Amino acid sequence: MITQVFKSDAKIIIPLLVLPMILFLLAHAFLQVDQYQFKVETAIESQSGQQLSLPIFKFVGFDDGAQEKQLSVTLLPPAEARDKVPPSHVYFSFLYGNLKLSHNGEVFFDTESRNIKDLPVFVQPLLIKLPTTYTSGDPIKMEMSRNATNALRISYAYFGDADDFSSALKNHFMYYEVMGFANAGALIFTLLVLLILALTRSFKKEFRSLVFVITCMILFEISSIESVGAAFSSYWQPLLLLGPLMVLASGKYVEYLGDGDINLIAKRFFSLVGLVSITALALGALDVLNLRLVNFIFSVPLMLGFCLWATYKCIKQAKNTQRKMEIYAFAMAMFSFAVSFCHDYLQRVGLVNDNVLLTQISFLTFFVVIAIIAVLDNERTQRVIEKNNQLLSEALDDQSTQLKSEFQARTILEREKVKAEEKLRFYSNLHDGVLGYLSNIHAVSELEKSENSETVRRLSKNAINEIRVMMETDTDEPEASLFRTCSALSQQIMVPLRAIGVDVKWNTLALLNYTTDDPHNNMEIFRILQEAIHNATNRAKCKELSIQAFQNEAGNFTIEIANSGGQTYSASGRMGRGIANMRRRSESIAAEFSIEPQDGGAIVQLILAN
């Protein structure tokens, strides 16, 4: 998994992790001693006569035992130094503990008399003026003893004039001063960011863990300032106990930042580590525990372990969260701190020998990254709020549009309801009024048996049937039947047509299976059949008329009106409005209309839509 993440995001991850390493290499190059007359790299131990290589490191333990922890050696300049002009100064790029230098039995330098402190994060260089009796190549005796330190350490001895080492000293103090000011500036920047967030009511509860981290780092920074470091040197060991809590507090913030997607298990360990740290602080204050030893076996390993674990988990799970860049930046800060703190820790126990402390660079990186993460997180929150407001506005617009549409639809329904009620009232009056009169006419015509009364009876009966067809088809009820509509037409025309000598064949049983979503279509089909029968009997003077309904292979219902025994239909002849009306009505119901001539008549087909 971690390999896949590295491959997919190598362009992002590699610069994030390499950048701190480049800064560390630049710091080493910046503090390197370049100019000197000669360098002493070996010394002879006074007691055993054993030759030792510089730089010297001797571990003296974690207790505060006294001067018995000391080392006496003699510097042996190289043979080629004897031919050089006698130097005026000797320069040590770093020193841990007390140092006493003597030449020809006379002491010319002693750190105890100068009260030089072993500050927590301040590496002390020494530029010492040699006695005027010193000659190039003379041995110099060194006596080292502890000064609240875990080890006796001294660097290579560089001999030369004061001007040779002015650049190295200047770079040394410039490096730590710049780092101090930069860290102070980053701290102020971070505090200002959090203050602005608090004043704008954007301060989240997730930032509380950052306040603890920043408070601890402020104490560390104060202890690194030379002018006040001596006063804080006694608090260095208790402060270091808070280191694991600082890392876990940062991890808690990142877990909040990742919305639970980044599982650093910081929450789970924070209470436990906090309890152990408080207990150790209390026991250390009572002189029950040696805090130097506690830091060696507890604080430092936990800090390094949590930092490396946080780096690994951040890189592994960065793709699971939307805050990808912020998580990568935090991984860089953790990795940078782990490397630099490991370097400084190994330096204090003597496994690394140089005059560069890297933790301050990591502090600077961490401050900047945390501030940037806070700003980006706040910006992302603002974007989320703006997006939510936009979505809410769009939802309100959609709701408004929907309500408007529903209002229009309701208005249309109310209008349709009014029309339907008016239509119902009209049909009710038609049924109760006109149909009543027609029924009376029909009844009166049956009292007298004459040709005129028979005609009146038939006409009144047809009028009654057609009105009923109109009332049935002009309705919103889906059960209106085309078969019943056609049957009503059959009752109207069957007797009159046979009376004038037309042989009528009528079969529309297939329409029993026909259904339509628009009952008004039935009335249009009714009018088309009326017009087709009228043309066949009145215009073509047919003797035979066939009205058939069937369902074709495609499943479409077809009504066919065929006439014969009269005038053959000619498409080139003069056509009246009847055929045009039939086509128009067919198009209105999406039906296919066709008329073809046959011997003595024509065939009209009406293919209904499914």
Side-chain angles (χ1 to χ4, degrees):
M1 175 63 76
I2 190 70
T3 305
Q4 295 177 356
V5 174
F6 265 108
K7 288 182 179 179
S8 61
D9 287 335
K11 293 181 179 179
I12 300 175
I13 299 172
I14 292 176
L16 288 178
L17 299 184
V18 170
L19 180 60
M21 305 300 296
I22 295 175
L23 293 176
F24 300 157
L25 293 176
L26 290 176
H28 277 90
F30 185 71
L31 297 181
Q32 189 173 358
V33 181
D34 295 323
Q35 189 173 345
Y36 51 87
Q37 288 187 19
F38 58 88
K39 179 171 65 172
V40 177
E41 301 181 0
T42 58
I44 300 296
E45 188 176 4
S46 299
Q47 294 180 351
S48 65
Q50 181 182 1
Q51 182 171 325
L52 303 177
S53 297
L54 297 180
I56 290 178
F57 166 76
K58 184 176 182 180
F59 183 74
V60 295
F62 297 103
D63 60 302
D64 294 326
Q67 302 295 327
E68 71 273 5
K69 303 293 185 180
Q70 58 184 343
L71 181 65
S72 179
V73 297
T74 301
L75 293 178
L76 295 177
E80 61 268 19
R82 300 182 183 278
D83 300 329
K84 295 183 179 294
V85 178
S88 61
H89 289 76
V90 60
Y91 178 74
F92 297 97
S93 56
F94 61 83
L95 165 72
Y96 278 13
N98 291 324
L99 177 65
K100 181 188 295 185
L101 298 179
S102 58
H103 175 252
N104 294 332
E106 294 184 6
V107 176
F108 64 90
F109 178 81
D110 190 351
T111 54
E112 288 186 343
S113 62
R114 299 185 58 175
N115 194 27
I116 296 178
K117 299 294 182 181
D118 177 55
L119 302 181
V121 290
F122 187 80
V123 179
Q124 177 66 55
L126 287 178
L127 180 60
I128 304 170
K129 184 175 177 58
L130 294 170
T132 57
T133 58
Y134 180 78
T135 303
S136 294
D138 288 351
I140 293 179
K141 185 177 180 181
M142 297 192 309
E143 295 181 9
M144 292 180 289
S145 60
R146 72 183 307 157
N147 178 22
T149 58
N150 298 332
L152 305 177
R153 295 184 56 205
I154 196 163
S155 68
Y156 297 110
Y158 299 91
F159 288 82
D161 294 333
D163 293 340
D164 294 337
F165 309 112
S166 61
S167 176
L169 276 173
K170 181 180 179 180
N171 291 344
H172 177 91
F173 288 105
M174 181 184 298
Y175 171 78
Y176 288 102
E177 286 178 1
V178 169
M179 284 296 103
F181 283 118
N183 278 289
L187 265 175
I188 293 172
F189 172 68
T190 306
L191 292 173
L192 284 176
V193 169
L194 296 178
L195 179 62
I196 292 172
L197 294 179
L199 293 176
T200 57
R201 296 184 179 180
S202 300
F203 190 89
K204 302 179 180 180
K205 66 177 183 179
E206 291 85 349
F207 294 151
R208 295 173 185 171
S209 57
L210 291 185
V211 174
F212 169 75
V213 175
I214 293 171
T215 301
C216 292
M217 286 190 168
I218 290 175
L219 296 176
F220 279 114
E221 284 300 307
I222 292 175
S223 66
S224 69
I225 300 175
E226 184 178 7
S227 58
V228 296
F232 274 80
S233 60
S234 59
Y235 299 104
W236 168 248
Q237 301 300 332
L239 278 176
L240 194 59
L241 278 175
L242 301 177
L245 290 177
M246 291 170 56
V247 178
L248 289 175
S250 304
K252 283 185 66 176
Y253 170 66
V254 173
E255 287 178 343
Y256 286 126
L257 185 70
D259 296 327
D261 295 328
I262 304 300
N263 181 18
L264 304 176
I265 62 175
K267 299 176 186 177
R268 189 181 309 170
F269 280 94
F270 188 82
S271 299
L272 176 61
V273 174
L275 179 62
V276 174
S277 299
I278 294 172
T279 303
L281 281 172
L283 294 177
L286 297 174
D287 292 331
V288 177
L289 280 182
N290 185 328
L291 292 185
R292 288 178 178 270
L293 182 60
V294 172
N295 285 324
F296 181 78
I297 63 176
F298 171 73
S299 300
V300 174
L302 275 186
M303 288 177 70
L304 294 176
F306 285 141
C307 284
L308 294 175
W309 177 255
T311 303
Y312 166 75
K313 295 293 285 186
C314 284
I315 293 176
K316 181 180 179 182
Q317 301 185 29
K319 286 192 173 182
N320 298 334
T321 177
Q322 295 180 352
R323 297 173 173 89
K324 186 175 180 180
M325 292 306 301
E326 292 95 311
I327 299 304
Y328 278 144
F330 181 79
M332 180 196 72
M334 287 290 99
F335 180 74
S336 169
F337 182 80
V339 173
S340 64
F341 190 78
C342 182
H343 169 275
D344 294 351
Y345 174 67
L346 294 177
Q347 184 188 56
R348 293 188 72 87
V349 298
L351 298 179
V352 172
N353 289 287
D354 59 31
N355 61 329
V356 183
L357 288 172
L358 302 178
T359 306
Q360 287 189 314
I361 298 180
S362 297
F363 278 4
L364 176 62
T365 305
F366 186 81
F367 292 148
V368 174
V369 165
I370 289 299
I372 291 175
I373 288 176
V375 172
L376 291 178
D377 182 48
N378 184 65
E379 180 185 359
R380 189 185 298 274
T381 302
Q382 294 297 326
R383 288 203 304 267
V384 170
I385 293 174
E386 292 175 0
K387 184 178 180 180
N388 290 338
N389 289 337
Q390 182 181 357
L391 293 175
L392 181 60
S393 178
E394 292 176 356
L396 289 175
D397 291 340
D398 292 341
Q399 187 70 18
S400 177
T401 302
Q402 184 178 357
L403 289 174
K404 185 178 180 180
S405 176
E406 291 178 355
F407 175 76
Q408 292 175 348
R410 183 174 179 180
T411 302
I412 293 173
L413 289 175
E414 289 178 351
R415 290 175 181 175
E416 292 294 330
K417 181 180 179 182
V418 172
K419 289 170 60 177
E421 290 175 351
E422 184 63 24
K423 189 184 295 183
L424 181 61
R425 185 186 64 80
F426 171 75
Y427 285 146
S428 178
N429 292 334
L430 183 65
H431 180 274
D432 297 339
V434 178
L435 280 182
Y437 286 117
L438 288 175
S439 297
N440 291 335
I441 293 172
H442 182 74
V444 171
S445 65
E446 288 182 337
L447 297 176
E448 183 181 352
K449 301 296 184 180
S450 65
E451 184 177 350
N452 290 335
S453 64
E454 182 64 23
T455 301
V456 171
R457 188 183 68 80
R458 288 200 303 270
L459 292 175
S460 62
K461 182 66 174 177
N462 291 342
I464 291 171
N465 289 336
E466 185 155 343
I467 288 174
R468 287 175 175 169
V469 170
M470 291 171 59
M471 292 175 64
E472 179 183 7
T473 55
D474 192 15
T475 178
D476 294 330
E477 297 297 327
E479 63 269 12
S481 170
L482 179 59
F483 174 74
R484 290 202 302 269
T485 301
C486 293
S487 298
L489 180 60
S490 171
Q491 293 177 11
Q492 288 184 17
I493 67 168
M494 194 69 74
V495 174
L497 291 180
R498 286 176 178 171
I500 61 175
V502 178
D503 183 14
V504 180
K505 295 181 180 179
W506 191 289
N507 184 7
T508 57
L509 286 174
L511 297 178
L512 285 172
N513 298 323
Y514 176 79
T515 57
T516 176
D517 294 333
D518 188 0
H520 296 87
N521 293 350
N522 294 348
M523 195 65 206
E524 296 295 327
I525 297 171
F526 182 86
R527 296 302 183 195
I528 293 171
L529 292 177
Q530 274 186 324
E531 186 64 31
I533 294 170
H534 173 75
N535 289 343
T537 56
N538 291 344
R539 292 181 178 276
K541 305 297 181 181
C542 69
K543 297 299 181 183
E544 295 181 356
L545 181 65
S546 173
I547 296 93
Q548 303 288 331
F550 57 89
Q551 195 171 6
N552 62 19
E553 295 180 356
N556 297 94
F557 288 90
T558 302
I559 301 176
E560 184 179 272
I561 306 100
N563 64 85
S564 60
Q567 182 180 348
T568 301
Y569 167 74
S570 174
S572 60
R574 179 177 176 273
M575 293 187 296
R577 296 295 303 169
I579 294 178
N581 287 337
M582 284 190 288
R583 290 186 185 278
R584 178 181 57 79
R585 292 181 185 275
S586 299
E587 292 174 357
S588 69
I589 62 174
E592 296 181 18
F593 174 83
S594 65
I595 180 170
E596 299 291 339
Q598 71 170 355
D599 188 21
I603 299 176
V604 175
Q605 271 197 349
L606 183 66
I607 303 177
L608 306 179
N610 286 330

